[in-house]
Amino acid sequence: MASTLYSDDGDYPYTQLELGTVDRYVFPTNFPRTAEIAANSPRYRRRSSTFIDGVHDVPDGKSSLMAPAQLYSTMSGRLFHSGRIAIVLVGPPARGKTHLSVSLSRYLQWLGVKTRVFHLGDYRRATMGPGVDVPDDYFFVNASAPSVMIRQKILRKCRQDIYAWLNHENGQVAIYDAVNPLSGGRQSLAREFANHDVQTLFLESYVTDPKILQENARNVKISSPDFQDMDPDEAAKLYLRRIDLRIPSFETMNEPDLNWVKMVNAGESLKYNNVSFGYLSFRIVFYLMNVHTKARQTFFARAGTSSQEDSYKQDAHLSDEGRAYAQKMADTLLQHREAERAASIANGGSDSPLKPLTVWTSTRRRTAETAECFREKGFRVRQRPQMSQLNPGVCEKLSERAIRRIYPEEVEKHEMDPYHHRYPRAESYHDLAVRLEPIILELEREQNDLLIIAHESVLRVLYGYLMACDAMHIPTLKFPRNEIIEIIPASYQNEAKRIFIPDLAPELIPGSPEDIKIPVPPSGTLSPISGLGTPLTRD
């Protein structure tokens, strides 16, 4: 079992650990899951509207057997006949390696590939203990004997856990997040993995743009006690100088006999050396061509209510209440963005202008008309046909009683597996997840802040991807209309935050009923079925 550790404050400790004093308490892997850690952490008791995703959760035996977008299963649990792969990160701190490793893990887990990230910084902190830093020459090539012994102990424990994951837990992809600065060390590592019948793919985050380095360093310094009360720009420069001093020798990837991918300047360009890529390696490269490491926010909002009885086949216009909701939702979001920027500046963040906001909707009238308030203010609005709601098939407009009477066998199947089951001529949530994969890749590629206005079924699936939800939780996620959900990306995990829309009529607020009650329910109708709260209460 991998010794993945978590910080109790959920900030950005995992990219700053190469340097500086560490004063955080860390939790072993048999500690409760990340959602429970968040619920019991002092910070999260203070900020109960914020939760962290499940990308680092260790399966507890209660999770569904198949991932949200998994197409098939095997006895071993390994897919694509690709064997076992170690993805080895390369690069100094403040290059976005941890962000890359976690994003890649999230995508592969979504596809059903058994993936786990092993952050060497976690093992370093666990070995040294709280508040104890590594020796000054720890990263040096000619390090002292005590430093070498500490380094070997940390590396040995991390690699033991990697092999245990791959050999005894049927893991398929192990992502090794470390600096790996020297060519000779990478060659040795590739030979070691090959001796264990594990393919190796090196992934370097290569950054030459000083603006990206400065922004990454600013993000890291926010949670570091070493830089308290310092000017943010000066703190970032000092942090980067420390990196150069602590890791004086670094050789970029250029080995002709290794499989490697080099991401340049957070996704500006991509280079790769293909010695023996298999299908899964090419799938990983395809994903990396769509991803970047620049910070941005994603927002989810429901469409307004329609002027007629809403149905899948009937594409109705917004009602007067729906237009009023659209205006309030737009005003609330824009005010929130300005308030967040002001708070960030007050806390030492950048005073640069807000990122542009792009709005995505489906091609249905309700969602497109809900976005008109943003279009009128000059924001870019794009319609995505893949974002149409779940197709209810023959069950549309049938009551629960009628569905149970006409399709009793289908109801039984649905109650056993509400994610993968589909009613006659309908879509399942799994079908919807597969349909939305191009949207997921576009979402990863988008560099502006993004607002997605869609039906609740679409929001459930997209939220499930970004927050690494188990497939069986997705059909029960709730998105009441009086909340905008903000996904805040961080290097180690995503966080979700609720933004309340004030003064909405009570009948507009409820989320859709779940499961068979009404597979694609009327919009804006008060449901007699009590939901499970919000998408943030998935455990």
Side-chain angles (χ1 to χ4, degrees):
M1 182 74 65
S3 299
T4 305
L5 308 172
Y6 303 90
S7 76
D8 66 345
D9 63 4
D11 274 323
Y12 298 82
Y14 298 95
T15 53
Q16 80 176 42
L17 291 175
E18 320 298 353
L19 342 156
T21 302
V22 179
D23 65 348
R24 292 172 175 79
Y25 179 74
V26 292
F27 299 87
T29 49
N30 59 359
F31 205 77
R33 298 173 64 190
T34 52
E36 296 172 351
I37 292 172
N40 292 301
S41 164
R43 174 183 181 228
Y44 285 95
R45 283 200 297 269
R46 291 196 304 270
R47 297 177 59 193
S48 58
S49 64
T50 305
F51 290 79
I52 56 180
D53 72 16
V55 72
H56 287 94
D57 286 353
V58 176
D60 55 6
K62 300 179 182 178
S63 302
S64 58
L65 296 177
M66 293 185 69
Q70 186 172 337
L71 296 178
Y72 68 96
S73 60
T74 64
M75 290 293 291
S76 68
R78 299 186 181 123
L79 305 183
F80 305 121
H81 308 289
S82 298
R84 301 173 301 173
I85 299 177
I87 300 175
V88 181
L89 275 293
V90 175
R95 267 66 176 178
K97 299 191 308 300
T98 298
H99 179 101
L100 270 180
S101 63
V102 171
S103 296
L104 184 56
S105 176
R106 180 179 291 108
Y107 178 69
L108 293 175
Q109 289 179 33
W110 176 258
L111 296 178
V113 181
K114 295 183 69 174
T115 306
R116 187 171 297 174
V117 186
F118 299 84
H119 302 283
L120 189 63
D122 294 346
Y123 290 85
R124 184 162 56 251
R125 284 203 316 282
T127 301
M128 300 305 297
V132 181
D133 198 10
V134 296
D136 290 339
D137 64 346
Y138 176 85
F139 292 101
F140 288 12
V141 175
N142 57 345
S144 62
S147 293
V148 171
M149 290 178 62
I150 294 173
R151 191 162 62 197
Q152 292 302 318
K153 179 180 179 181
I154 294 169
L155 291 172
R156 184 167 57 249
K157 175 56 180 170
C158 182
R159 292 182 192 174
Q160 284 174 352
D161 285 349
I162 290 175
Y163 296 133
W165 157 248
L166 294 172
N167 294 330
H168 304 304
E169 299 183 50
N170 284 336
Q172 184 162 13
V173 175
I175 302 179
Y176 178 37
D177 178 18
V179 175
N180 296 303
L182 302 181
S183 176
R186 296 192 290 262
Q187 296 275 4
S188 176
L189 187 58
R191 289 192 296 270
E192 178 185 330
F193 280 124
N195 290 337
H196 288 81
D197 195 26
V198 177
Q199 304 172 54
T200 308
L201 174 63
F202 290 90
L203 172 57
E204 179 180 356
S205 180
Y206 183 75
V207 180
T208 58
D209 187 338
K211 293 182 179 179
I212 296 176
L213 286 174
Q214 187 83 354
E215 185 61 29
N216 288 347
R218 287 175 67 105
N219 288 338
V220 169
K221 82 92 197 170
I222 289 174
S223 57
S224 172
D226 291 353
F227 305 106
Q228 288 181 356
D229 303 322
M230 287 186 64
D231 176 77
D233 292 328
E234 289 302 317
K237 292 176 182 177
L238 175 58
Y239 176 77
L240 294 173
R241 284 199 299 271
R242 285 191 180 186
I243 292 174
D244 293 336
L245 291 174
R246 296 291 292 271
I247 308 177
S249 301
F250 181 83
E251 299 169 358
T252 188
M253 291 294 307
N254 201 29
E255 295 87 340
D257 55 339
L258 297 180
N259 291 317
W260 52 262
V261 179
K262 183 184 295 187
M263 177 178 283
V264 180
N265 288 333
E268 181 181 278
S269 63
L270 201 73
K271 303 176 183 178
Y272 67 87
N273 188 59
N274 176 6
V275 177
S276 57
F277 280 9
Y279 175 82
L280 187 53
S281 296
F282 275 113
R283 190 74 184 250
I284 291 167
V285 171
F286 174 68
Y287 172 76
L288 293 173
M289 292 174 67
N290 291 276
V291 74
H292 62 84
T293 60
K294 298 176 182 178
R296 63 164 172 77
Q297 264 67 32
T298 301
F299 304 92
F300 292 152
R302 292 276 303 280
T305 54
S306 59
S307 56
Q308 305 170 31
E309 181 182 6
D310 187 35
S311 71
Y312 181 79
K313 296 177 182 177
Q314 184 175 354
D315 193 8
H317 292 279
L318 279 182
S319 63
D320 291 340
E321 294 82 1
R323 283 188 287 272
Y325 158 80
Q327 186 64 58
K328 288 183 179 179
M329 184 268 289
D331 292 343
T332 299
L333 178 58
L334 297 179
Q335 291 168 10
H336 169 79
R337 296 181 77 225
E338 291 292 345
E340 289 287 291
R341 177 176 180 269
S344 175
I345 294 174
N347 291 328
S350 172
D351 60 355
S352 57
L354 284 169
K355 278 182 173 290
L357 177 68
T358 299
V359 182
W360 289 359
T361 76
S362 74
T363 53
R364 296 181 69 84
R365 287 173 178 164
R366 278 198 307 122
T367 59
E369 291 175 4
T370 303
E372 275 303 308
C373 296
F374 293 96
R375 191 191 302 275
E376 292 169 359
K377 295 178 183 293
F379 293 98
R380 185 184 183 190
V381 178
R382 299 182 63 183
Q383 294 188 6
R384 301 285 191 176
Q386 300 98 326
M387 285 171 47
S388 294
Q389 65 201 61
L390 193 73
N391 184 344
V394 300
C395 292
E396 184 175 21
K397 297 186 180 180
L398 292 179
S399 67
E400 180 185 357
R401 178 177 297 179
I403 295 172
R404 289 187 180 277
R405 185 183 71 252
I406 301 171
Y407 304 106
E409 294 182 357
E410 297 295 333
V411 169
E412 184 178 351
K413 293 177 183 177
H414 184 89
E415 290 177 338
M416 292 178 61
D417 188 353
Y419 185 82
H420 294 96
H421 173 262
R422 65 175 72 88
Y423 284 96
R425 300 181 184 177
E427 283 184 303
S428 67
Y429 275 95
H430 179 263
D431 296 330
L432 181 57
V434 173
R435 168 159 48 100
L436 287 173
E437 184 177 5
I439 295 297
I440 285 172
L441 293 173
E442 285 281 345
L443 191 155
E444 294 282 15
R445 187 160 53 240
E446 181 66 56
Q447 298 196 21
N448 293 340
D449 284 352
L450 180 63
L451 168 64
I452 296 177
I453 302 174
H455 186 273
E456 191 170 29
S457 58
V458 174
L459 299 184
R460 285 169 174 164
V461 172
L462 294 178
Y463 180 94
Y465 169 73
L466 289 175
M467 298 302 289
C469 296
D470 181 80
M472 300 305 288
H473 292 142
I474 288 175
T476 62
L477 299 177
K478 293 293 168 184
F479 292 83
R481 277 197 181 83
N482 67 336
E483 293 177 359
I484 302 167
I485 304 302
E486 178 182 9
I487 307 295
I488 307 167
S491 59
Y492 198 73
Q493 72 266 318
N494 289 337
E495 299 181 1
K497 180 178 181 179
R498 290 175 286 191
I499 305 166
F500 290 95
I501 304 173
D503 304 323
L504 289 183
E507 62 269 18
L508 297 180
I509 292 175
S512 301
E514 63 190 85
D515 297 340
I516 67 165
K517 275 59 177 182
I518 306 175
V520 176
S523 170
T525 300
L526 184 61
S527 167
I529 309 300
S530 60
L532 297 181
T534 74
L536 308 180
T537 57
R538 59 185 180 87
D539 284 316

